[in-house]
mmCIF file of all heavy atoms in Angstrom:
data_model
loop_
_atom_site.group_PDB
_atom_site.id
_atom_site.type_symbol
_atom_site.label_atom_id
_atom_site.label_comp_id
_atom_site.label_asym_id
_atom_site.label_seq_id
_atom_site.Cartn_x
_atom_site.Cartn_y
_atom_site.Cartn_z
ATOM 1 N N VAL A 48 -1.827 -8.763 1.451
ATOM 2 C CA VAL A 48 -0.986 -9.546 0.540
ATOM 3 C C VAL A 48 0.236 -8.773 0.048
ATOM 4 O O VAL A 48 0.957 -9.243 -0.825
ATOM 5 C CB VAL A 48 -1.786 -10.068 -0.685
ATOM 6 C CG1 VAL A 48 -2.754 -11.157 -0.265
ATOM 7 C CG2 VAL A 48 -2.510 -8.941 -1.401
ATOM 8 N N GLY A 49 0.464 -7.554 0.584
ATOM 9 C CA GLY A 49 1.705 -6.845 0.240
ATOM 10 C C GLY A 49 1.543 -5.753 -0.796
ATOM 11 O O GLY A 49 2.493 -5.444 -1.505
ATOM 12 N N LYS A 50 0.360 -5.144 -0.876
ATOM 13 C CA LYS A 50 0.148 -4.058 -1.849
ATOM 14 C C LYS A 50 0.808 -2.761 -1.368
ATOM 15 O O LYS A 50 1.581 -2.128 -2.077
ATOM 16 C CB LYS A 50 -1.361 -3.825 -2.085
ATOM 17 C CG LYS A 50 -2.085 -5.072 -2.563
ATOM 18 C CD LYS A 50 -3.538 -4.814 -2.868
ATOM 19 C CE LYS A 50 -4.366 -4.401 -1.666
ATOM 20 N NZ LYS A 50 -4.471 -5.459 -0.641
ATOM 21 N N THR A 51 0.513 -2.376 -0.147
ATOM 22 C CA THR A 51 1.069 -1.138 0.399
ATOM 23 C C THR A 51 2.581 -1.264 0.581
ATOM 24 O O THR A 51 3.340 -0.326 0.311
ATOM 25 C CB THR A 51 0.405 -0.829 1.761
ATOM 26 O OG1 THR A 51 -1.009 -0.775 1.560
ATOM 27 C CG2 THR A 51 0.882 0.478 2.332
ATOM 28 N N GLU A 52 2.983 -2.450 0.999
ATOM 29 C CA GLU A 52 4.394 -2.689 1.321
ATOM 30 C C GLU A 52 5.303 -2.409 0.125
ATOM 31 O O GLU A 52 6.421 -1.917 0.288
ATOM 32 C CB GLU A 52 4.543 -4.144 1.799
ATOM 33 C CG GLU A 52 5.951 -4.571 2.156
ATOM 34 C CD GLU A 52 6.385 -4.125 3.547
ATOM 35 O OE1 GLU A 52 5.603 -3.452 4.247
ATOM 36 O OE2 GLU A 52 7.526 -4.441 3.922
ATOM 37 N N ILE A 53 4.823 -2.693 -1.082
ATOM 38 C CA ILE A 53 5.706 -2.550 -2.237
ATOM 39 C C ILE A 53 6.108 -1.089 -2.441
ATOM 40 O O ILE A 53 7.250 -0.784 -2.792
ATOM 41 C CB ILE A 53 5.087 -3.179 -3.503
ATOM 42 C CG1 ILE A 53 6.189 -3.495 -4.501
ATOM 43 C CG2 ILE A 53 4.044 -2.318 -4.138
ATOM 44 C CD1 ILE A 53 5.804 -4.478 -5.561
ATOM 45 N N ALA A 54 5.203 -0.158 -2.174
ATOM 46 C CA ALA A 54 5.529 1.268 -2.306
ATOM 47 C C ALA A 54 6.584 1.649 -1.268
ATOM 48 O O ALA A 54 7.545 2.370 -1.561
ATOM 49 C CB ALA A 54 4.278 2.112 -2.140
ATOM 50 N N LYS A 55 6.414 1.140 -0.053
ATOM 51 C CA LYS A 55 7.371 1.445 1.019
ATOM 52 C C LYS A 55 8.746 0.904 0.660
ATOM 53 O O LYS A 55 9.769 1.570 0.842
ATOM 54 C CB LYS A 55 6.910 0.819 2.342
ATOM 55 C CG LYS A 55 5.610 1.385 2.877
ATOM 56 C CD LYS A 55 5.326 0.745 4.217
ATOM 57 C CE LYS A 55 3.966 1.126 4.756
ATOM 58 N NZ LYS A 55 3.603 0.304 5.917
ATOM 59 N N VAL A 56 8.769 -0.327 0.139
ATOM 60 C CA VAL A 56 10.039 -0.966 -0.200
ATOM 61 C C VAL A 56 10.713 -0.242 -1.364
ATOM 62 O O VAL A 56 11.931 -0.033 -1.355
ATOM 63 C CB VAL A 56 9.818 -2.472 -0.502
ATOM 64 C CG1 VAL A 56 11.045 -3.087 -1.134
ATOM 65 C CG2 VAL A 56 9.444 -3.220 0.765
ATOM 66 N N LEU A 57 9.914 0.180 -2.356
ATOM 67 C CA LEU A 57 10.502 0.909 -3.490
ATOM 68 C C LEU A 57 11.141 2.212 -3.019
ATOM 69 O O LEU A 57 12.265 2.543 -3.407
ATOM 70 C CB LEU A 57 9.436 1.213 -4.548
ATOM 71 C CG LEU A 57 9.073 0.071 -5.504
ATOM 72 C CD1 LEU A 57 7.979 0.512 -6.453
ATOM 73 C CD2 LEU A 57 10.293 -0.397 -6.280
ATOM 74 N N ALA A 58 10.433 2.950 -2.168
ATOM 75 C CA ALA A 58 10.968 4.218 -1.667
ATOM 76 C C ALA A 58 12.265 3.956 -0.905
ATOM 77 O O ALA A 58 13.269 4.647 -1.083
ATOM 78 C CB ALA A 58 9.944 4.909 -0.780
ATOM 79 N N ASP A 59 12.226 2.934 -0.093
ATOM 80 C CA ASP A 59 13.364 2.606 0.742
ATOM 81 C C ASP A 59 14.583 2.186 -0.079
ATOM 82 O O ASP A 59 15.691 2.712 0.099
ATOM 83 C CB ASP A 59 12.924 1.451 1.659
ATOM 84 C CG ASP A 59 13.752 1.409 2.900
ATOM 85 O OD1 ASP A 59 14.146 2.491 3.348
ATOM 86 O OD2 ASP A 59 14.022 0.301 3.403
ATOM 87 N N THR A 60 14.375 1.265 -1.000
ATOM 88 C CA THR A 60 15.521 0.717 -1.733
ATOM 89 C C THR A 60 16.030 1.682 -2.806
ATOM 90 O O THR A 60 17.200 1.644 -3.158
ATOM 91 C CB THR A 60 15.183 -0.639 -2.384
ATOM 92 O OG1 THR A 60 13.972 -0.475 -3.123
ATOM 93 C CG2 THR A 60 14.994 -1.720 -1.358
ATOM 94 N N LEU A 61 15.139 2.544 -3.320
ATOM 95 C CA LEU A 61 15.591 3.508 -4.326
ATOM 96 C C LEU A 61 16.071 4.809 -3.677
ATOM 97 O O LEU A 61 16.512 5.735 -4.351
ATOM 98 C CB LEU A 61 14.463 3.822 -5.323
ATOM 99 C CG LEU A 61 14.046 2.672 -6.263
ATOM 100 C CD1 LEU A 61 12.820 3.054 -7.066
ATOM 101 C CD2 LEU A 61 15.200 2.293 -7.186
ATOM 102 N N GLY A 62 15.918 4.894 -2.347
ATOM 103 C CA GLY A 62 16.360 6.083 -1.627
ATOM 104 C C GLY A 62 15.506 7.302 -1.933
ATOM 105 O O GLY A 62 15.990 8.436 -1.904
ATOM 106 N N ARG A 63 14.209 7.065 -2.206
ATOM 107 C CA ARG A 63 13.317 8.194 -2.502
ATOM 108 C C ARG A 63 12.434 8.493 -1.297
ATOM 109 O O ARG A 63 12.213 7.642 -0.441
ATOM 110 C CB ARG A 63 12.395 7.864 -3.688
ATOM 111 C CG ARG A 63 13.070 7.338 -4.919
ATOM 112 C CD ARG A 63 13.943 8.387 -5.567
ATOM 113 N NE ARG A 63 14.569 7.845 -6.771
ATOM 114 C CZ ARG A 63 14.114 8.066 -8.004
ATOM 115 N NH1 ARG A 63 13.067 8.808 -8.206
ATOM 116 N NH2 ARG A 63 14.742 7.539 -9.037
ATOM 117 N N LYS A 64 11.891 9.709 -1.321
ATOM 118 C CA LYS A 64 10.941 10.084 -0.268
ATOM 119 C C LYS A 64 9.618 9.367 -0.552
ATOM 120 O O LYS A 64 9.214 9.261 -1.713
ATOM 121 C CB LYS A 64 10.753 11.609 -0.323
ATOM 122 C CG LYS A 64 9.916 12.156 0.811
ATOM 123 C CD LYS A 64 10.056 13.660 0.890
ATOM 124 C CE LYS A 64 9.123 14.302 -0.125
ATOM 125 N NZ LYS A 64 9.197 15.762 -0.132
#
Side-chain angles (χ1 to χ4, degrees):
V48 289
K50 303 183 296 295
T51 304
E52 179 81 359
I53 202 162
K55 295 184 187 169
V56 168
L57 280 178
D59 204 33
T60 51
L61 292 173
R63 309 293 181 99
K64 187 166 82 181

